[in-house]
Amino acid sequence: MREQAARDMAALAEEIRAHDVRYYQQDAPTIDDATYDALRLRLLALEKEFPELVRPDSPTQTVGAAPAEGFKKIRHSQPMLSLDNAFSEEDVRDFDQRIRKFLQLGAADELYYICEQKIDGVSFSARYEHGQLVQGLTRGDGEVGEDITENLKTILPLTLRASPPLLEVRGEVYMKKQDFLTLNESRLAVGAPLFANPRNAAAGSLRQLDVSVTAQRGLSYFVYSWAQLSEDVETHNSDMKFMLALHDMGLTTFVTRDAGAARHYQWTASLDVLLAYYQEMQAQRALMDHDIDGMVYKVDRLDWRERLGFKARSPRWAIAHKFPAEQAVTVVEAIEIQVGRTGTLTPVARLAPINVGGVVVSNATLHNEDEIARKDVRVGDTVIIQRAGDVIPQVVGVVSGASGAMRAEPYAFPTHCPVCDAQAVREEGEVARRCTGGLTCAAQRMERLKHFASRNAMNIDGLGDKQIEAFYQEGLISSPADIYTLQARDGEGLSRLKNREGWGEKSASNLFAAIETSREVALARFIFALGIRHIGEETGKLLAKHFGTFEQLQAAVLDAHARETLLAIDGIGATVAQALIQFFSEPHNQQLLATLMDVLRVQPYSAPALANTVVAGKTVVFTGTLDRIGRNEAKALAETLGAKVASSVSKKTDYVIAGADAGSKLKTAVELGVTVLTETEWLTLIGHAHA
């Protein structure tokens, strides 16, 4: 059961990551919100049932995708995270209970929330210094965004009233329904491609290199939070009150002093009132001048927010309550198979184009063969589809009798790869069927090359998907190492490329310069670039942080005690450990790595400057029940102080914090001579005054 869950989680994670890139990086999603949310819910359910299998690179622990090309990249002052989702009243009440448990509040303790509309636009961060707009960034991958300062200057106020010396706000750029229709009408008149929906139109407009285009697109914005603020600025310990202060400075917020305006927010300590407001907004959404796909609930007290802190991809103090999906009916014209980077065969339904909520959709993922069989989807069937404000629908089910008596034969999922004809195998208990062709399969080899050169990996500018496909098909590159010999094999490096269609001397020179730049790569990026199954960006960072150098990582994984070493790392489970051991033990991969190490300079992990605390850089383990603060809060607090939180005790552990009913970890610590502290001793050590 556990091994099956691990395989299911890995397959879901792979699919979700691919959709994250299409949505956040390319502004070209291939599934709708409902389909995406369903994938995340399935993954979250498995992670809840098997918490020990949750990996740091899980899509539930990460946010966004790498910044797109064309703009300067700047690191956010504070990470820009996403929100967890609620889909039912029960989910919202569970969210409330989690917060109360974390803060150790009783049922009678008042817990105020502020509720706002969830507009699906493009997130931004804007920095004001002494009231002047000086910088604007997109979300990017949550840590690094694109510099869109000049574009934001056409949308946001350039100067604020009575602004503090430093103010960095977070918000959303979006397009109103009428502005979207007007834009598409103008594009239709000149034969330009139409935007699929307001969100894509807003994203495309905000990322224009020509600022004048952005200025003409009729974009709107609102501010929903802040990231940095000058010291000694009065916030009244309330999100609502400070958002009102931002409104008074001249920023557009949902909180307003205009009593005659329609209610755009709710402030209450009653979940019943909050949920009633949700129902009210759901009923009014079609009448609004902009699209919303749910409501956002945020804890109002700022000191409680600080205690609650953040998870890997989202704050603990906020959640998005999504609206139900919209539905329509159309016909399945074909079912096709796509082969992914790791060989996964994914079925895609090609649909007769249908307008759903103002968006024309024509295809949808069918996830896997089990989903096709469970819903009995066949070519020619009339099906119910649904969407929740995005591009491509989810197939809910077949309309009984609508397809006629002469239905097509049940869809036979292929047992051989449609690209290389190698056998496609489905391991016992796994939802995905995979091609066994490996590097001999053109789909996988090419996709692995694309992954290697991608922005989040080696980040080779100018070597995008189209270039890799062309170079691969012509035999110029077939493995990652070939990229770094391309110039040498081309004489002076220009003769072959500069005469290609769409190329010239400058573009060829730029590509070779980008390849040369990529020879020096951060360890975490290199680990991720290798395309090891189950190893995403966050796991790459975790491994880089733990081992420091690639040589130490490789030696540890090839060691006889590799499994024990890997499992001792907090956040590394059995599936990831096994994937690493298998990859590094494979002779072909060893040869590839040796070749790459000859042409690359993989930089050792460089730890960020740690806070000057007594526990910075120390490894700590928590065990037993903590009384004064919750265990999750204790771990989060330790990490903010620069400590490394581990899941098991070893000789390298510096402190074990033992609460009530501590078990085997305490025993191990005593046997190894590790310093054991009570909860009170730990809080005294770190100077934490919370009681």
Side-chain angles (χ1 to χ4, degrees), residues 103-120:
L103 297 175
Q104 296 184 310
L105 301 177
D109 293 318
E110 283 192 333
L111 175 56
Y112 273 87
Y113 291 101
I114 184 168
C115 174
E116 299 174 342
Q117 298 173 16
K118 183 180 182 299
I119 297 179
D120 188 19

Side-chain angles (χ1 to χ4, degrees), residues 366-384:
L366 290 169
H367 305 305
N368 53 62
E369 58 189 294
D370 284 353
E371 283 292 287
I372 296 178
R374 183 176 68 81
K375 297 174 181 176
D376 191 21
V377 179
R378 310 183 191 185
V379 174
D381 278 352
T382 299
V383 294
I384 300 171

Side-chain angles (χ1 to χ4, degrees), residues 177-194:
K177 294 176 182 177
Q178 186 56 54
D179 292 325
F180 171 68
L181 293 175
T182 300
L183 174 61
N184 263 354
E185 287 172 359
S186 65
R187 294 176 70 82
L188 181 64
V190 297
L194 302 184

Side-chain angles (χ1 to χ4, degrees), residues 362-559:
S362 58
N363 54 74
T365 178
L366 290 169
H367 305 305
N368 53 62
E369 58 189 294
D370 284 353
E371 283 292 287
I372 296 178
R374 183 176 68 81
K375 297 174 181 176
D376 191 21
V377 179
R378 310 183 191 185
V379 174
D381 278 352
T382 299
V383 294
I384 300 171
I385 59 173
Q386 70 177 18
R387 63 176 293 273
D390 220 316
V391 180
I392 303 172
Q394 172 186 9
V395 177
V396 177
V398 177
V399 179
S400 179
S403 303
M406 298 297 293
R407 292 181 71 197
E409 291 293 319
Y411 181 75
F413 205 90
T415 57
H416 288 76
C417 174
V419 176
C420 70
D421 201 38
Q423 188 176 8
V425 175
R426 179 178 177 180
E427 296 179 10
E428 184 178 354
E430 189 166 322
V431 297
R433 186 177 290 273
R434 301 178 187 278
C435 167
T436 59
L439 289 174
T440 64
C441 176
Q444 292 184 68
R445 190 186 302 168
M446 191 186 300
E447 290 304 314
R448 291 185 185 191
L449 285 167
K450 291 177 183 177
H451 172 77
F452 183 84
S454 65
R455 296 183 183 96
N456 293 24
M458 300 301 289
N459 192 26
I460 305 176
D461 288 341
L463 193 60
D465 291 355
K466 292 182 179 179
Q467 289 76 25
I468 287 177
E469 289 174 7
F471 290 173
Y472 177 82
Q473 290 166 0
E474 294 178 27
L476 292 178
I477 57 174
S478 61
S479 76
D482 291 340
I483 295 172
Y484 297 95
T485 61
L486 180 61
Q487 184 171 12
R489 286 184 283 117
D490 197 29
E492 295 298 320
L494 294 176
S495 59
R496 183 182 301 174
L497 293 190
K498 72 177 183 180
N499 295 320
R500 293 171 61 94
E501 183 178 353
W503 287 74
E505 185 168 337
K506 182 177 180 180
S507 56
S509 296
N510 288 343
L511 172 60
F512 290 130
I515 292 174
E516 193 62 31
T517 299
S518 75
R519 289 181 186 271
E520 185 166 304
V521 59
L523 176 57
R525 278 183 172 270
F526 180 64
I527 295 171
F528 176 63
L530 293 175
I532 306 170
R533 193 177 174 199
H534 306 306
I535 310 300
E537 291 178 76
E538 293 305 314
T539 302
K541 293 175 183 177
L542 181 63
L543 292 168
K545 180 179 180 181
H546 185 86
F547 290 105
T549 69
F550 184 75
E551 290 76 14
Q552 290 176 329
L553 166 63
Q554 188 171 32
V557 175
L558 293 175
D559 186 79

Side-chain angles (χ1 to χ4, degrees), residues 157-173:
L158 301 180
T159 305
L160 300 182
R161 300 186 293 268
S163 174
L166 172 62
L167 172 65
E168 183 178 328
V169 295
R170 300 281 166 83
E172 202 88 356
V173 170

Side-chain angles (χ1 to χ4, degrees), residues 154 208-217:
T154 69
Q208 289 290 325
L209 294 177
D210 184 349
V211 178
S212 65
V213 175
T214 304
Q216 297 169 4
R217 290 287 174 86

Side-chain angles (χ1 to χ4, degrees), residues 1-3 5-6 9 46-47 50-55 573-575:
M1 183 68 176
R2 189 174 181 276
E3 292 182 357
M9 290 163 68
L46 285 170
E47 291 185 341
F50 300 95
E52 72 279 7
L53 297 180
V54 180
R55 301 192 303 272
T575 301

